[in-house]
Amino acid sequence: MPQQLEERQNLFCLGAGLFFTSSVLHSSHKKGPKMQALGLGRGCIPLRLHASPCRRTASPSPPAPPRPRSVTGLKTCIAAVRASAAQPAQMERKGEVKVVKLRAVEATPESFAPFGQVITASPDGDEFGPHDAQLDLSSGIPRFYIMRLQDRPLEFSTITHHASVTQCLGAIGGQDWYLGVAKPSIVDGASEQSGPEGRKLLQSAAGHCYLPPDPAEVCVFRVSGSKFLKLNKGTWHAGPLFKADAVDFYNLELSNTNVVDHTTHYFKKHDGITFVVED
């Protein structure tokens, strides 16, 4: 503020000087020799104007007294820094994943019954019966194809179900392979709101409602020899898994199953566990 006042005063003094000089010059030109005889006119042109008489030098303001440092505030700051440094370690502890080992069980018509069927070879000429695959392909166009899989070690942390179709899987060549499964959990949204251990009802992108699979109910089957598995609608499954580098499977489902009917549960994300198959 003092600096602005000083600048205004300087401009005022300079303007006054210029006005005075202009008046003198005008009078000298108008009155001519008479003014020169009085010693005015051109003698007034060398008038020197100085703005210094109007300058004001503001006295420097005294420095602000040093602000006392709060001991309590300093301790609070140190505590916050320590808490920030310790946070990643806590997150790592919370992010630990528990590994659950599952012993593989041989798939037989009896052991696999809660999840589907085990289909073995039958003599030529046998009529259709309950030992044959009971299929439901009514929701779309059936797709029967050979699926080549690579690098599928004996471990998994996700599991999937198809709500609108049965599925058949079998290894070409009769190589041993493994499949993790859990019972179907598709429910009527109006009848149930939660399952065992408070597992909440969810709605799939496919439109149906289901309960997430219980990790305690997951089991693994080994499929060996000339047989294939038929999965009931809604059966949770993880795999096929195998020890070889690559295996070809024949697969029977619908043409758009993996696009519109593919619901997945993530054990690592939601339950903090991953499964390893022992065999």
Side-chain angles (χ1 to χ4, degrees), residues 143-147 167-170 249-253:
R143 182 190 182 194
F144 182 59
Y145 64 104
I146 296 176
M147 176 178 64
Q167 183 179 15
C168 294
L169 291 168
F249 290 84
Y250 50 84
N251 188 355
L252 176 60
E253 53 188 4

Side-chain angles (χ1 to χ4, degrees), residues 100-108 111-112 115 153-156 158-159 177-182 215-223 229 236-242 267 274-279:
V100 177
K101 297 180 180 180
L102 297 176
R103 176 69 61 179
V105 177
E106 185 67 27
T108 66
S111 64
F112 197 72
F115 314 100
L154 306 188
E155 59 185 19
F156 61 94
T158 63
I159 198 165
W177 57 284
Y178 303 82
L179 191 71
V181 294
E217 296 183 357
V218 176
C219 54
V220 176
F221 287 92
R222 178 180 57 253
V223 184
L229 300 182
W236 294 97
H237 55 283
L241 311 173
F242 41 83
F267 287 113
T274 185
F275 296 97
V276 173
V277 180
E278 291 186 332
D279 188 35

Side-chain angles (χ1 to χ4, degrees), residues 40-256:
L40 301 175
R42 291 185 181 273
C44 295
I45 294 176
L47 178 65
R48 301 179 64 184
L49 300 177
H50 297 279
S52 57
C54 297
R55 179 171 298 175
R56 298 290 186 271
T57 303
S59 58
S61 57
R67 186 176 181 179
R69 185 178 296 273
S70 172
V71 177
T72 304
L74 182 60
K75 290 182 178 180
T76 303
C77 181
I78 294 175
V81 172
R82 289 177 177 175
S84 177
Q87 187 174 2
Q90 294 176 358
M91 292 180 64
E92 290 178 1
R93 287 196 295 269
K94 291 180 180 179
E96 290 180 355
V97 177
K98 179 181 178 181
V99 177
V100 177
K101 297 180 180 180
L102 297 176
R103 176 69 61 179
V105 177
E106 185 67 27
T108 66
E110 295 76 23
S111 64
F112 197 72
F115 314 100
Q117 293 177 271
V118 177
I119 308 300
T120 58
S122 58
D124 184 25
D126 276 6
E127 295 184 358
F128 177 79
H131 60 282
D132 292 306
Q134 308 298 307
L135 305 176
D136 186 349
L137 305 171
S138 60
S139 297
I141 301 173
R143 182 190 182 194
F144 182 59
Y145 64 104
I146 296 176
M147 176 178 64
R148 175 163 295 176
L149 300 179
Q150 296 178 328
D151 300 326
R152 298 297 179 94
L154 306 188
E155 59 185 19
F156 61 94
S157 60
T158 63
I159 198 165
T160 300
H161 77 236
H162 310 304
S164 302
V165 64
T166 56
Q167 183 179 15
C168 294
L169 291 168
I172 297 177
Q175 300 184 58
D176 289 358
W177 57 284
Y178 303 82
L179 191 71
V181 294
K183 294 179 181 179
S185 57
I186 299 173
V187 297
D188 181 2
S191 62
E192 294 188 50
Q193 295 299 323
S194 62
E197 300 182 1
R199 303 184 78 80
K200 295 183 179 180
L201 185 71
L202 301 176
Q203 184 172 16
S204 169
H208 62 277
C209 296
Y210 68 96
L211 291 172
D214 186 348
E217 296 183 357
V218 176
C219 54
V220 176
F221 287 92
R222 178 180 57 253
V223 184
S224 56
S226 300
K227 62 183 70 170
F228 69 88
L229 300 182
K230 186 222 80 177
L231 304 178
N232 293 335
K233 290 196 300 183
T235 293
W236 294 97
H237 55 283
L241 311 173
F242 41 83
K243 298 177 182 179
D245 294 333
V247 178
D248 292 341
F249 290 84
Y250 50 84
N251 188 355
L252 176 60
E253 53 188 4
L254 296 181
S255 60
N256 60 353

